[in-house]
Amino acid sequence: MGSTGEDLGRRDLIKRSAALGLITVPTMSFLSACASGGDESTKGPDKAPVTKENPFGVAKGGKLDVMVFKGGFGDDYAKAWEAAFDKKWGTTSSHMGTQEITAKLQPRLNGGNPPDVVDDSGAQQIKLDVLAKAGQLADLTAVLDSPSLDDPTKKVRDTLVDGAYEQGLQGGKFVVLKYVYAVFGFWYSGKLFKEKGWTPPKTWDEFLAVCAKAKEAGIGGLAHQGKYPYYINVVIMDLIAKKGGLDAMKAIDNLEPNAFEGNPAALAAVEAVYEVVEKGLLMPGTNGLTHTESQTAWNQYKAAFIPSGSWLENEQLKQTPEDFDMKFLPVPLLADSKLPFEAIRAGVDEPFIVPEKAANKAGAMEFLRSMMSREWSTIFAQQANSLTVVKDGVDPSVKLRPGTQSAVEALKAAGSNTFSYRYPDWYSEMDNEIQNASNELMAQRIQPKEWIKRAQAAVDKAAKDPNAKNNKRS
C-alpha cells in the first residue's frame, strides 16, 4: 500500500487482523515455565542439504503445523498457501483456523509442542512482548536475509515495505513478521452521506457538526467498539500524532516522562474525543457492544462514523448492504495540527511467528519466505481483500472491494505522511492500562485530565521494564 514513511503499525490495516482487545494475558511465570518445558529429545524432520533454492534445508515429506487467526481475513488464504507448499515440498500440512488463539496455543507452548507457524492475532492474541520475554519466539532474521523467490538476486528484506523490519522487532531482535499492510481511521457510508447531503469532515469541528446532524436525524454520530477500547484509542492516538507531530508519537513509544503529562497535544486529543461523549453524540449503547455488534449497527445506518482498520470491510461482508458504499476517512484535524489532514496511521500488521520450539523450523522459515512471494501475496489479496507487506506484491488484476480501495486511495494521498505507534507491541500492559482508561472516559467515569494521569502512570511503569532500553525509535 505504499511507503510508511515513519513506518507504521493492528489487526491492531490494516491491524491488525480482526479485533484487538482486552484479555487476561498469560503471566510471565507461566510462559517462563513453558519456555523450558517439553521433551528435549523430540527431533524435528531430517533436514535436506542447504542450497540457493532451499536455503533452510526443508526435507521432502515432512509435516508442517499451521495455526492462524480466523478473523476479518478468514483463513482460506492460509489453506491455499498450505496446498501450494505441500505440492512444492511434498510436505503434509495440518491447519487450524481459530479465534481462540490463547486457548489453543498456550497449552501447546506449555507442553513444548507448539505449531510451526502461528498467526498470533485477534482479541485473544498472546501478547508478543510476553512471548518474546519468555524466549518463545524464533529469530526470523534468516528469513529476511534469504533470497527472494521472485528475484533470487535480492534478499527478502529488500522486497518489503518500509517499516516491516522495525515493526517486527522485540528488544532489538527480529522475531515477528507482520504480513498485512493496513490503514486506520474512520469509516462511513457513502450512500448515507449522499442521501443526507453531508460532506466528509476534514476538521474536528466539522466532524462534530456531522455527528450533531446525525443525532438530529435520529442516528448516532459515532459508534465505537465499546468492549474493545483498542479502537477508540486509534482515534485518540491519531489525534495526538496529528496535532503534536511525530515527536509527540515518538515520546510515547520511547516512554518519556512528559509523553502525556505536559503534552498539550495529548490533552487536546482526549478532550476532543470526550466532547463527543459530553454532547451525547455517541450511538446509544455503543459502550457496551463488541466490535462486531457495533460494526453491524453501523452497517444498519444507526451511526454516521466508526473507527477501525482496513480489515473492516472483509470482517463485515455478510452484514454490509450491497449499496452501502463503504468509505475510509483519515481522522479529522484539531486546530493547529502539525500533520496535514491526509496523514494517516498506516503500516504492517497481522503478526506471524515461529515458536522457538517448533518441530519443523526449517519448513516454517521456508513457509514465511514463500509468504513474501508475489504468488502468495496475490493469493492473500484475492482471498482476504487486503494488501500485504510485499512491495508491488499483488497482481494488478486483483480487484479490491470498494472500502479497501478507498483506503488505498487515502494512502496514496497521504504520501510520506504516514505514522504508526510501537508501544502496543512493545508494552502490552501499558497498552491495556491506556485502553482501560479510555473505557472509563467513554463511560464518563473519568475526565480527560484523569485519563492523562493514568496514561502517564502506565508509561512510567513501562519505563522500568529492563527491555525498554532496547526498544527505542529515533
Side-chain angles (χ1 to χ4, degrees):
M1 297 203 25
S3 168
T4 55
E6 275 297 322
D7 88 53
L8 164 284
R10 233 184 177 242
R11 135 217 173 307
D12 6 301
L13 247 140
I14 295 179
K15 137 331 118 133
R16 245 195 94 279
S17 97
L20 280 184
L22 299 176
I23 62 167
T24 303
V25 297
T27 62
M28 282 305 299
S29 58
F30 170 86
L31 281 174
S32 296
C34 73
S36 58
D39 181 1
E40 293 297 336
S41 65
T42 301
K43 293 183 178 179
D46 292 334
K47 288 191 68 174
V50 171
T51 64
K52 286 184 179 180
E53 292 73 27
N54 188 4
F56 303 108
V58 178
K60 297 281 186 180
K63 294 182 178 180
L64 191 74
D65 192 341
V66 181
M67 178 185 292
V68 299
F69 172 68
K70 189 176 180 179
F73 300 125
D75 65 344
D76 287 345
Y77 71 88
K79 293 175 183 176
W81 285 351
E82 292 154 19
F85 194 80
D86 289 347
K87 182 178 180 180
K88 178 175 182 179
W89 293 102
T91 48
T92 302
S93 293
S94 63
H95 172 90
M96 174 180 282
T98 180
Q99 293 197 10
E100 300 175 352
I101 293 294
T102 294
K104 302 296 185 185
L105 182 58
Q106 257 186 19
R108 297 190 59 182
L109 288 170
N110 194 37
N113 63 332
D116 300 308
V117 177
V118 181
D119 170 21
D120 180 29
S121 190
Q124 297 184 46
Q125 170 199 52
I126 300 183
K127 298 301 183 181
L128 299 168
D129 59 332
V130 175
L131 289 171
K133 290 174 188 175
Q136 289 286 355
L137 303 181
D139 190 333
L140 304 180
T141 306
V143 176
L144 295 181
D145 290 334
S146 63
S148 163
L149 283 164
D150 297 315
D151 182 356
T153 65
K154 292 183 178 179
K155 293 181 178 180
V156 165
R157 67 167 70 236
D158 298 325
T159 68
L160 307 183
V161 298
D162 293 344
Y165 172 72
E166 292 84 354
Q167 294 210 46
L169 295 173
Q170 285 284 342
K173 189 158 83 171
F174 185 77
V175 291
V176 180
L177 173 64
K178 292 196 168 188
Y179 189 67
V180 168
Y181 197 84
V183 302
F184 303 79
F186 283 124
W187 298 79
Y188 66 96
S189 162
K191 177 189 177 183
L192 178 66
F193 270 57
K194 186 175 181 180
E195 286 180 352
K196 299 295 184 184
W198 299 338
T199 301
K202 292 188 176 183
T203 70
W204 195 255
D205 285 343
E206 291 171 354
F207 173 78
L208 292 174
V210 174
C211 288
K213 290 177 183 177
K215 184 178 181 181
E216 291 170 6
I219 301 170
L222 174 66
H224 78 109
Q225 301 83 338
K227 289 190 175 180
Y228 298 103
Y230 158 82
Y231 292 90
I232 199 65
N233 269 10
V234 168
V235 182
I236 294 172
M237 293 297 169
D238 282 15
L239 286 169
I240 293 173
K242 294 179 85 163
K243 183 171 177 64
L246 299 180
D247 286 343
M249 174 191 68
K250 291 176 183 178
I252 295 171
D253 284 341
N254 288 336
L255 309 178
E256 293 182 9
N258 61 346
F260 289 105
E261 288 186 331
N263 179 355
L267 182 59
V270 183
E271 288 178 339
V273 171
Y274 191 66
E275 191 171 356
V276 177
V277 181
E278 277 192 311
K279 291 185 174 179
L281 302 178
L282 287 180
M283 181 183 79
T286 192
N287 284 340
L289 301 182
T290 66
H291 60 293
T292 51
E293 289 168 344
S294 59
Q295 291 160 192
T296 298
W298 170 73
N299 281 142
Q300 295 167 348
Y301 305 105
K302 293 178 181 177
F305 300 100
I306 195 164
S308 190
S310 39
W311 60 84
L312 177 67
E313 185 172 33
N314 224 48
E315 193 166 63
Q316 294 298 114
L317 279 181
K318 293 179 181 178
Q319 290 75 32
T320 306
E322 275 193 34
D323 60 350
F324 189 80
D325 191 19
M326 193 178 293
K327 298 284 190 183
F328 175 81
L329 179 76
V331 172
L333 291 182
L334 295 172
D336 302 318
S337 288
K338 292 186 178 180
L339 298 184
F341 162 72
E342 290 79 11
I344 52 176
R345 182 191 302 218
V348 294
D349 217 326
E350 203 66 19
F352 282 77
I353 59 173
V354 175
E356 182 59 45
K357 289 185 176 295
N360 188 1
K361 198 177 287 186
M365 296 289 190
E366 182 62 30
F367 193 86
L368 264 58
R369 183 171 83 113
S370 303
M371 285 168 56
M372 261 74 76
S373 68
R374 188 177 178 86
E375 178 189 356
W376 283 30
S377 184
T378 297
I379 288 172
F380 187 85
Q382 290 170 328
Q383 300 285 351
N385 184 44
S386 174
L387 298 185
T388 75
V389 71
V390 184
K391 274 187 289 194
D392 304 317
V394 176
D395 191 284
S397 65
V398 175
K399 298 298 181 185
L400 298 171
R401 295 188 179 95
T404 302
Q405 186 58 43
S406 77
V408 172
E409 290 163 4
L411 188 62
K412 289 178 181 176
S416 62
N417 284 302
T418 59
F419 59 90
S420 166
Y421 287 89
R422 308 274 177 77
Y423 77 88
D425 285 339
W426 285 350
Y427 312 108
S428 60
E429 185 178 350
M430 168 184 157
D431 184 30
N432 281 346
E433 288 172 356
I434 296 175
Q435 289 187 35
N436 287 336
S438 296
N439 189 37
E440 297 290 288
L441 182 84
M442 300 307 288
Q444 284 189 291
R445 289 190 288 265
I446 64 172
Q447 302 288 314
K449 288 182 179 178
E450 175 64 19
W451 187 99
I452 293 289
K453 182 179 177 181
R454 293 188 185 192
Q456 187 62 53
V459 166
D460 296 343
K461 185 177 179 181
K464 298 175 183 176
D465 184 336
N467 212 35
K469 66 180 183 295
N470 296 316
N471 290 333
K472 294 292 181 184
R473 59 186 301 176
S474 57

